[in-house]
Amino acid sequence: MASSSPFSHLLSSLSSKSPLFSSRPRSYPSPKPPLAPISPLSFHFPSPKLSPVLPLLPQNTLNGLNSLLSSASGSLFLALASLSLSFSLFLGQVDPASAFVVTTPRKLQSDELATVRLFQENTPSVVYITNLAARQDLFTLDVLEVPQGSGSGFVWDKKGHIVTNYHVIRGASDLRVTLADQSTYEARVVGFDQDKDVAVLRIDAPKDKLRPIPVGISADLLVGQKVFAIGNPFGLDHTLTTGVISGLRREISSAATGRPIQDVIQTDAAINPGNSGGPLLDSSGNLIGINTAIYSPSGASSGVGFSIPVDTVGGIVDQLVTFGKVTRPILGIKFAPDQSVEQLGVSGVLVLDAPPNGPAGKAGLLPTKRDSYGRLILGDIITEVNGKKVTSGSDLYRILDQCKVGDKVTVEVLRGDHKEKINVVLEPKPDES
């Protein structure tokens, strides 16, 4: 008789209790077909399902497997999502920093919209002017063109005329004009007026690139109304500054001749070096002046800028375009500084020189001279012109600006200890070289 071993008893016990060791055949459900491939760009993942044989495992084991599969599918989802986003950024050439930024449309106030529209509509009319001067190299003796200054200007008409300040182009051997689209053209000088600091250039540019600036009027301006200045301060092209008209009918002196410029507009809009020649616009975008000068001890904007009124500019530009010069009447004299006359204790304009072929010389005005002993003999002192009192050179220029070539004016002079009245026929100013 065979003895029973402990293993035999264990096998018989398992065979009677466990279906895995049952001698009866057991049927299992057929396995489901495998999952379809998943596109990495679709971001759609079916929920994981366990095989039918898994319920045979203990419940805690099933829970562990479910957690494991859930975390695995989550990690797979994040990995595929990151890969898909990187792939789309690569194809679309999108800035990665902006891919996650959601921007909302910017809301502007009505006055801001008006300012933006004014700048966009008038910027194509403003140009950048480069003043080139010929310089000779000390070592090679080669002649080079080097920039000696820059300024602003604006398109006057479709013929290519550009208006700017005379001091912007003064001393230039060559001039270049850069339009708003950054195209550059060689410019030639049509004409200039040193007394009023106005110059006209011309470029050969296609008409579709030239947008003339709308011209307004300056006679009805009021202190306090808004103004806008567009220019190229310090070489920064197309810069907009805003302000108000802070004064009217100011008077400044021409940088070239010292002759006074009347009815100048004063504004607190920032005008810096490089703004010269640029337009001053009203709130409708119309030209009302040319930015020409600032009052500043430091040379930068201090809130006091000056613009030549467009009513003055318009007549000058028309003459320069038509004749190439400005016809302005003169007396034909050279006079002493106002301070010298004040030291003499008299009021008026002291005649230093009156060329014999000039209007004053022909009429008989006497210049200042020295006698045979070297003593100074004062010439005539002009005290009135056409009944208007003259106390300084500015007064004389102001009166002459109201006259025309060929007019006969009555000049009252102080000669020695008595006064005389002399008729002078005004002649045109000779051409500047």
Side-chain angles (χ1 to χ4, degrees):
M1 184 171 111
S3 62
S4 60
S5 66
F7 296 101
S8 301
H9 178 70
L10 178 59
L11 289 173
S12 61
S13 173
L14 290 174
S15 61
S16 61
K17 296 179 180 180
S18 175
L20 296 175
F21 294 91
S22 174
S23 59
R24 290 175 296 178
R26 182 175 178 86
S27 62
Y28 294 96
S30 58
K32 291 186 178 182
L35 299 176
I38 301 173
S39 172
L41 300 178
S42 64
F43 298 117
H44 173 72
F45 295 93
S47 58
K49 296 182 179 180
L50 297 178
S51 174
V53 298
L54 294 178
L56 299 177
L57 298 176
Q59 186 62 36
N60 57 351
T61 304
L62 293 176
N63 294 337
L65 287 174
N66 283 329
S67 300
L68 180 61
L69 289 175
S70 298
S71 61
S73 87
S75 300
L76 180 61
F77 175 81
L78 293 177
L80 291 177
S82 176
L83 179 62
S84 173
L85 181 59
S86 300
F87 185 68
S88 63
L89 291 176
F90 175 76
L91 291 180
Q93 296 182 353
V94 181
D95 185 7
S98 63
F100 298 95
V101 178
V102 180
T103 59
T104 57
R106 182 177 296 277
K107 296 181 180 179
L108 300 178
Q109 301 297 324
S110 59
D111 59 335
E112 293 177 313
L113 289 173
T115 302
V116 171
R117 189 178 304 110
L118 180 145
F119 178 74
Q120 293 175 346
E121 291 178 353
N122 288 279
T123 294
S125 302
V126 183
V127 301
Y128 181 74
I129 300 174
T130 304
N131 182 330
L132 301 174
R135 296 288 185 269
Q136 188 175 34
D137 189 276
L138 296 178
F139 299 99
T140 64
L141 301 181
D142 293 336
V143 177
L144 306 174
E145 283 189 339
V146 296
Q148 69 171 357
S150 63
S152 307
F154 51 87
V155 180
W156 184 258
D157 55 27
K158 284 285 188 177
K159 296 180 181 179
H161 290 111
I162 308 296
V163 178
T164 184
N165 286 140
Y166 168 72
H167 73 262
V168 171
I169 68 168
R170 187 177 184 180
S173 61
D174 195 9
L175 294 166
R176 293 175 186 170
V177 173
T178 303
L179 301 180
D181 62 354
Q182 301 304 313
S183 58
T184 303
Y185 299 89
E186 298 290 333
R188 65 179 182 86
V189 179
V190 176
F192 53 83
D193 182 4
Q194 295 185 9
D195 293 334
K196 302 300 181 183
D197 199 19
V198 177
V200 177
L201 314 177
R202 186 170 184 177
I203 59 175
D204 295 325
K207 291 185 177 181
D208 57 345
K209 288 190 174 185
L210 298 174
R211 184 183 296 184
I213 198 166
V215 179
I217 57 177
S218 56
D220 58 352
L221 296 177
L222 299 173
V223 174
Q225 73 177 79
K226 280 188 176 182
V227 290
F228 304 85
I230 303 178
N232 307 283
F234 304 107
L236 303 174
D237 60 339
H238 298 99
T239 299
L240 173 69
T241 56
T242 64
V244 298
I245 294 178
S246 50
L248 292 171
R249 287 176 286 278
R250 304 300 193 210
E251 182 177 296
I252 61 175
S253 298
S254 170
T257 64
R259 189 161 181 162
I261 307 175
Q262 292 88 25
D263 298 328
V264 173
I265 304 168
Q266 179 184 332
T267 177
D268 67 347
I271 299 176
N272 290 288
N275 274 114
S276 293
L280 186 70
L281 309 172
D282 60 12
S283 56
S284 299
N286 297 322
L287 176 71
I288 58 173
I290 302 180
N291 302 321
T292 186
I294 57 175
Y295 181 80
S296 172
S298 64
S301 176
S302 61
V304 181
F306 300 100
S307 297
I308 305 173
V310 68
D311 292 349
T312 301
V313 173
I316 295 173
V317 172
D318 291 341
Q319 291 191 58
L320 292 176
V321 171
T322 305
F323 305 108
K325 62 180 182 179
V326 174
T327 304
R328 183 171 289 114
I330 61 170
L331 272 178
I333 63 171
K334 293 181 180 179
F335 53 87
D338 296 336
Q339 296 83 355
S340 300
V341 181
E342 291 177 357
Q343 293 176 358
L344 297 176
V346 296
S347 177
V349 172
L350 173 62
V351 178
L352 292 180
D353 188 21
N357 58 345
K362 294 177 182 178
L365 267 71
L366 299 180
T368 301
K369 58 184 179 179
R370 294 184 180 275
D371 61 11
S372 58
Y373 297 98
R375 293 174 298 187
L376 189 66
I377 301 176
L378 297 180
D380 291 337
I381 298 176
I382 300 175
T383 57
E384 287 186 6
V385 174
N386 283 346
K388 298 179 181 179
K389 190 175 182 179
V390 176
T391 60
S392 64
S394 296
D395 292 338
L396 179 60
Y397 281 133
R398 194 178 298 109
I399 296 172
L400 293 178
D401 283 341
Q402 300 172 359
C403 301
K404 297 179 181 179
V405 174
D407 289 351
K408 180 182 290 188
V409 296
T410 302
V411 180
E412 184 181 274
V413 299
L414 177 62
R415 181 175 294 175
D417 55 357
H418 65 281
K419 291 184 178 182
E420 292 187 15
K421 291 185 177 181
I422 303 173
N423 293 326
V424 180
V425 179
L426 301 179
E427 296 182 4
K429 185 177 180 180
D431 296 339
E432 296 93 346
S433 58

